[in-house]
Amino acid sequence: MSAFELIVLDCDGTLADTRPVIVSTLVETFVQTMGRNPDRGMIHGLVARGLPLADTIRAVTKGLDCPLDAVQISRQVALYRDLYLRHGLSSTRLFEGFKPVLEASMAANVSVAVVSNKGQAALESLLDHHGVSSLVALVLGDTDHRPRKPDPALLLEHVLPKAGLPTLERVLVVGDTEVDMAFARNAGVASCWARFGYGDAETCLRFSPKHIIDNPIELLAVIGISSTAQVQPKLD
């Protein structure tokens, strides 16, 4: 029997290597809307924090000393997401080993929910692009009507009810940033820090994650599965 019934998996920096695309798309967004070319190093640092897109854009505008109001931020978000969907997906990649991990999890009847502050459409498109949508039971990205990580309501009120309400002891949050670690702590579930991702080590370790992995395959040992079993259907 596996140690966990539900794996709540982050996307950017955990499941997929997307930072180069995120950085280039953010730069293009600011070039198109403001004629400004923000510092890529600053954006790299913001991506490492795992912030929602609107908060990332807000931080970039602060760095450029050109703050925007809420309506302007929303327009930036919309343009970014359009550019990402049209040009960015082909430059993303799954971290090596994650597809077999997803296959083994499904075969062992361990549900995987991909939960991200990435936009819902971009998240679904990325999973489709890499051919792993059928291996994931639930996909929850950023929308206007749901809370965002690290708000525990996202897990407790939106993920768990769709996953058959497993006990908190049987839920594992896997992610690479401080937002993911705070999400797990706030919800009262175990955390697994993906050290191979983008997050700052010192900051993430302050949350005392229960597990640490240096590559996707190591997640199998954390979950407690190693062989295939009956495939579980996708959650409604």
Side-chain angles (χ1 to χ4, degrees):
M1 181 179 177
S2 63
F4 298 98
E5 182 179 343
L6 175 66
I7 308 302
V8 179
L9 186 65
D10 178 51
C11 180
D12 298 323
T14 303
L15 174 63
D17 184 10
T18 57
R19 182 159 59 180
V21 177
I22 292 172
V23 172
S24 63
T25 306
L26 276 169
V27 169
E28 182 62 21
T29 298
F30 278 88
V31 168
Q32 288 195 23
T33 58
M34 303 176 67
R36 302 290 296 273
N37 195 336
D39 179 70
R40 289 174 180 259
M42 174 182 64
I43 297 177
H44 270 258
L46 292 170
V47 173
R49 295 178 59 191
L51 299 172
L53 178 57
D55 292 344
T56 299
I57 289 174
R58 193 171 291 109
V60 173
T61 63
K62 184 178 180 180
L64 292 173
D65 196 25
C66 56
L68 303 178
D69 61 29
V71 173
Q72 292 170 314
I73 292 287
S74 295
R75 290 172 180 163
Q76 296 277 79
V77 167
L79 175 59
Y80 170 93
R81 288 180 170 162
D82 178 63
L83 291 171
Y84 187 97
L85 283 172
R86 288 194 288 122
H87 305 298
L89 288 175
S90 61
S91 297
T92 64
R93 67 179 183 91
L94 296 186
F95 282 109
E96 185 176 358
F98 240 124
K99 187 171 184 179
V101 169
L102 295 175
E103 291 170 337
S105 299
M106 173 174 274
N109 291 329
V110 176
S111 295
V112 175
V114 176
V115 178
S116 172
N117 286 335
K118 196 179 199 70
Q120 182 73 28
L123 187 58
E124 293 176 353
S125 296
L126 185 145
L127 297 175
D128 287 341
H129 178 76
H130 293 290
V132 294
S133 293
S134 63
L135 303 175
V136 174
L138 181 65
V139 180
L140 290 185
D142 183 19
T143 69
D144 292 334
H145 63 275
R146 277 197 297 263
R148 301 172 178 90
K149 295 189 292 185
D151 188 336
L154 178 58
L155 180 68
L156 301 176
E157 299 175 13
H158 295 269
V159 177
L160 297 189
K162 295 178 181 294
L165 291 173
T167 62
L168 296 182
E169 293 78 10
R170 299 274 286 155
V171 177
L172 176 69
V173 168
V174 183
D176 67 307
T177 70
E178 62 195 84
V179 165
D180 300 302
M181 300 301 98
F183 183 48
R185 182 192 63 185
N186 294 346
V189 301
S191 60
C192 176
W193 177 41
R195 183 156 47 191
F196 57 85
Y198 307 146
D200 177 74
E202 183 177 354
T203 303
C204 291
L205 288 172
R206 289 196 192 114
F207 290 90
S208 301
K210 185 173 182 179
H211 305 280
I212 298 174
I213 57 175
D214 290 307
N215 61 71
I217 293 296
E218 291 181 0
L219 184 57
L220 290 176
V222 173
I223 300 172
I225 59 176
S226 59
S227 60
T228 60
Q230 185 178 0
V231 173
Q232 176 176 329
K234 193 178 180 84
L235 296 172
D236 294 327

